Amino acid sequence: MENVILIVHLLLALSLIGVVLLQRSEGGGLGMGGGGGAMSARGAATALGKVTWILAAAFIVTSITLTVLAASDAAGVSVMDRLSGSAPASETGDGTAPLDTDSLLPPPPSAGDTGDADAPLVPRAAD
């Protein structure tokens, strides 16, 4: 469901960009612009203007929908709790064990290790 809404969201974004680029510039914000036409306080709503508003509204709706879906998928546990292993597996909700962060670190140097020329360089903290 989330993937379908994401695809629709991306198509709306591309369509919105295309429709905005098709419109004629009337503001003259950078010293250039279309000029001409009726200069009234309320401009005539063109078909492209209406399409822009519809696409923008649909884009906002899909954005909010994706946010709600992402928030409902969150387990309520922060990423730092998962990395530190302080959250037990029963709290994660999906029955998986916490991450084993010790396996992600390089092994400590042995006592007699003077450094091998073929060994990979491992960053060390400054003493």
Side-chain angles (χ1 to χ4, degrees):
M1 173 75 174
E2 191 173 349
N3 288 336
V4 173
I5 296 174
L6 183 61
I7 291 171
V8 170
H9 185 71
L10 293 175
L11 290 174
L12 284 171
L14 293 174
S15 301
L16 189 59
I17 290 169
V19 169
V20 167
L21 290 176
L22 286 174
Q23 293 180 11
R24 191 181 81 175
S25 173
E26 294 180 7
L30 295 175
M32 57 186 169
M39 301 298 281
S40 64
R42 181 177 168 156
T46 63
L48 282 178
K50 290 179 183 179
V51 170
T52 303
W53 279 104
I54 292 170
L55 289 175
F59 182 82
I60 291 171
V61 168
T62 56
S63 297
I64 293 171
T65 305
L66 286 171
T67 302
V68 169
L69 287 175
S72 68
D73 289 343
V77 180
S78 73
V79 175
M80 294 305 294
D81 288 341
R82 290 182 189 175
L83 288 178
S84 66
S86 63
S90 61
E91 288 185 16
T92 58
D94 56 0
T96 59
L99 292 176
D100 181 22
T101 57
D102 293 333
S103 64
L104 300 175
L105 299 174
S110 60
D113 191 11
T114 59
D116 189 9
D118 294 333
L121 296 176
V122 178
R124 306 257 186 246
D127 292 330

